[in-house]
Amino acid sequence: MPEKAHYGLLKGKKGIVFGPLDESSIGWQIALHAYREGAEIAISNVAAALRFGNIEELSTLCGNAPMFVCDASKNEDVDACFKELKEKMGSVDFIVHSIGMSQNIRKQLPYEDLNYEWFIKTLDVSALSLHRLVSYALKNEAINKGGSILSLSYIASQRNYWTYSDMGDAKSLLESIVRSYGPRLARQAIRINTISQSPTYTKAGSGIPGFEKMYEYSDLMSPLGNASAEECAEYCMTILSDLSRKVTMQNLFHDGGYSSMGATIPMIKLAHEVLNDKELALRVGLDE
């Protein structure tokens, strides 16, 4: 990553990022940017990710950040993680939840014919895990008053994106958990938010059927174009810092303006071209 200006937004703060895998992941970029903004960082993921991802490299880049093996879908793992975190680092000022998974999407099962065991797993790993992280952080007194909790969402929580399948339901549940927990956390001046990011070329994102088309469409529909993982991380720094101390229970769009657009001239021109060219419509599958 090229050198950019840093502002010390997280100087003196400590935090843990759950879910970074490799350089393409948003969680990776958040951890790296938080470290460069002055924070002391810890990293967590499941055992398989620690073996097959590049987590050790990220740890080195973040000042030899401690790594914690934790399956966020298991109570005992999360409880043990926060106990160990508190022993090694003390209580933290921010928690980042960058976790999501759908076996139904991996296997490309149609939404009307999902494997329900996998569906429940999608909801557990991608949404209930946030509730679990927050609950055990509080039980272990592992997050400081005035802290910030942040998770990553997608606009499919509010609109239908055909191939996003059961992950759309998971993101809806994720955002609901944020709203439900918000007033409860506010008693300790802790805020909780989600960021709804543009389609991003991560390992998880790239596994969605038709992702390239989703990405291109979003880019054409966004006045500023799609936001990268690195740009998302930069925005996250403001939400983790004290600059956002009165922002809570929000789903914050970071998508180049996509969420507020009806149509753009490039998209109108493309649609007009396709609608008036039967051969082209057939070639791109519009007849489907």
Side-chain angles (χ1 to χ4, degrees), residues 2-283:
E3 280 300 318
K4 290 190 174 183
H6 299 288
Y7 308 95
L9 293 176
L10 302 180
K11 186 176 181 180
K13 293 189 180 297
K14 293 181 286 188
I16 183 167
V17 180
F18 288 88
L21 180 65
D22 59 26
E23 296 88 340
S24 72
S25 68
I26 297 173
W28 174 293
Q29 294 294 337
I30 291 173
L32 190 55
H33 277 73
Y35 175 71
R36 292 182 174 180
E37 287 295 339
E40 183 181 347
I41 291 294
I43 303 161
S44 177
N45 212 323
V46 295
L50 291 175
R51 285 198 306 272
F52 300 114
N54 297 338
I55 314 299
E56 288 190 7
E57 179 185 346
L58 177 61
S59 169
T60 300
L61 291 171
C62 294
N64 295 318
M67 299 180 291
F68 299 94
V69 177
C70 176
D71 182 342
S73 67
K74 296 180 179 178
N75 294 354
E76 58 274 19
D77 273 27
V78 176
D79 188 33
C81 177
F82 280 113
K83 281 182 167 61
E84 188 179 359
L85 173 70
K86 196 171 180 186
E87 287 177 8
K88 289 186 175 180
M89 290 180 60
S91 55
V92 296
D93 301 290
F94 61 86
I95 296 170
V96 177
H97 174 275
S98 180
I99 302 171
M101 182 278 295
S102 168
Q103 289 173 281
N104 282 305
I105 289 178
R106 287 179 186 172
K107 299 296 184 180
Q108 299 190 23
L109 297 186
Y111 185 77
E112 59 273 22
D113 192 25
L114 296 179
N115 178 310
Y116 289 111
E117 290 184 6
W118 293 351
F119 193 177
I120 292 169
K121 189 68 173 177
T122 297
L123 298 178
D124 194 12
V125 171
S126 307
L128 294 179
S129 60
L130 174 65
H131 192 288
R132 198 174 281 110
L133 293 183
V134 176
S135 295
Y136 280 99
L138 293 173
K139 287 174 183 177
N140 286 289
E141 298 182 342
I143 183 166
N144 294 322
K145 291 183 178 180
S148 179
I149 299 170
L150 181 62
S151 186
L152 297 171
S153 191
Y154 183 53
I155 197 171
S157 62
Q158 295 128 20
R159 303 181 192 176
N160 179 270
Y161 286 79
W162 191 278
T163 57
Y164 205 61
S165 191
D166 56 348
M167 277 298 295
D169 299 312
K171 294 302 187 185
S172 296
L173 177 56
L174 182 79
E175 292 175 19
S176 180
I177 289 169
V178 165
R179 288 188 294 272
S180 296
Y181 238 132
R184 294 166 169 85
L185 290 167
R187 296 168 184 164
Q188 298 183 50
I190 298 170
R191 55 205 188 277
I192 182 168
N193 297 285
T194 54
I195 288 181
S196 185
Q197 164 73 353
S198 301
T200 310
Y201 274 102
T202 63
K203 282 279 172 59
S206 300
I208 299 168
F211 180 80
E212 289 184 5
K213 293 178 181 178
M214 287 175 62
Y215 184 91
E216 290 173 7
Y217 173 79
S218 176
D219 202 41
L220 286 168
M221 283 290 289
S222 305
L224 292 175
N226 287 333
S228 68
E230 184 180 350
E231 289 168 331
C232 181
E234 290 173 338
Y235 180 47
C236 289
M237 295 306 100
T238 64
I239 308 305
L240 298 179
S241 78
D242 292 337
L243 295 176
S244 63
R245 63 174 64 88
K246 294 297 183 181
V247 180
T248 195
M249 302 164 62
Q250 301 301 305
N251 180 47
L252 304 161
F253 287 101
H254 184 257
D255 60 5
Y258 174 87
S259 53
S260 294
M261 287 299 296
T264 61
I265 295 300
M267 282 304 303
I268 291 171
K269 286 181 177 178
L270 282 173
H272 184 268
E273 183 179 349
V274 171
L275 291 171
N276 287 279
D277 187 332
K278 291 183 179 179
E279 184 180 335
L280 178 59
L282 184 64
R283 192 163 67 246

